[in-house]
Amino acid sequence: MIRIWLCLCVSALFSASVMAHPHVWVDSQYRVKVDQTSIETLEATWSLDLFTSTSLIAEYDVDGDGDLTGQEKLDMIEVLKSFQQYGFFIKMKQDGADIVPSDVQVLDVRVRDQMLWIRLGIALPMPVNLETSTLSFAFGDDELYFAMEPLEEGLVRLSGTLSETCTPVEREAEETSVAVWVDLTCKP
């Protein structure tokens, strides 16, 4: 019975309504480790707004310690898997053509500064050579009224031994559900 009630609460938080403004604000970022010119995987992070975070933490932090551990964390990860049907709002293009990740996993969920932080692991359908292709990134929700906004430091964060050879270039989005696109290429 409790599980059904929790699912209903989460559904109410994450479902669309007749209003046309965002109901959940998510600060989002892609994290790309470039140790070679061809990448196969990357990560993304989300930080949910304070209201949504507080509501979810109150429901899933059973022991009330302000953190999600053990079964609490597993239960939250299970709920977050429901975003698979929306592709976790991931939008990607290779040389202008849409690509869909072959897999997205919820790697971790944590509470940081009273906010719910989510880390996603993303597997590309095929390796992308950043010296010969442009990989474009965005987040966008077309259905549930999530506002997917880039972190202040930018939508793409680079690391790795070849990251200095890469240039992320921000460009305006044509889609109303997307805040910004970032095109990433690397030079030899």
Side-chain angles (χ1 to χ4, degrees):
M1 184 66 172
I2 291 175
R3 175 127 357 242
I4 293 170
W5 184 78
L6 291 175
C7 287
L8 289 173
C9 288
V10 171
S11 294
L13 279 172
F14 292 138
S15 65
S17 77
V18 295
M19 300 170 128
H21 61 82
H23 295 144
V24 177
W25 295 86
V26 181
D27 290 333
S28 53
Q29 183 178 62
Y30 288 97
R31 295 181 177 193
V32 183
K33 187 173 184 180
V34 189
D35 283 327
Q36 53 190 7
T37 58
S38 201
I39 62 167
E40 297 178 32
T41 61
L42 58 136
E43 292 187 358
T45 60
W46 291 356
S47 172
L48 302 183
D49 65 79
L50 185 58
F51 177 76
T52 304
S53 292
T54 302
S55 298
L56 289 170
I57 293 165
E59 293 299 327
Y60 287 90
D61 180 18
V62 177
D63 61 11
D65 68 352
D67 201 8
L68 298 173
T69 57
Q71 191 61 46
E72 298 167 338
K73 184 179 280 204
L74 295 174
D75 290 343
M76 178 60 71
I77 288 172
E78 196 60 37
V79 167
L80 294 170
K81 287 179 181 179
S82 68
F83 291 110
Q84 285 176 333
Q85 66 183 318
Y86 304 103
F88 288 94
F89 312 125
I90 293 168
K91 296 193 181 285
M92 294 179 150
K93 295 178 183 282
Q94 181 178 355
D95 297 325
D98 291 338
I99 61 172
V100 176
S102 60
D103 189 38
V104 180
Q105 297 290 319
V106 179
L107 299 177
D108 196 14
V109 59
R110 297 180 182 269
V111 178
R112 187 186 321 160
D113 299 326
Q114 301 177 13
M115 308 287 266
L116 195 60
W117 283 79
I118 300 158
R119 187 168 58 102
L120 303 171
I122 303 167
L124 298 175
M126 296 173 33
V128 175
N129 185 328
L130 294 172
E131 285 185 347
T132 59
S133 291
T134 299
L135 188 57
S136 302
F137 302 94
F139 282 104
D141 167 35
D142 301 318
E143 299 178 42
L144 298 181
Y145 298 103
F146 276 55
M148 306 295 292
E149 296 294 324
L151 287 178
E152 268 187 49
E153 67 184 57
L155 181 66
V156 175
R157 179 178 177 187
L158 300 175
S159 65
T161 55
L162 298 179
S163 63
E164 296 289 324
T165 67
C166 302
T167 307
V169 177
E170 190 174 293
R171 65 178 163 88
E172 278 191 44
E174 296 174 10
E175 308 89 340
T176 57
S177 65
V178 172
V180 66
W181 280 92
V182 170
D183 298 329
L184 179 63
T185 56
C186 301
K187 299 296 178 207

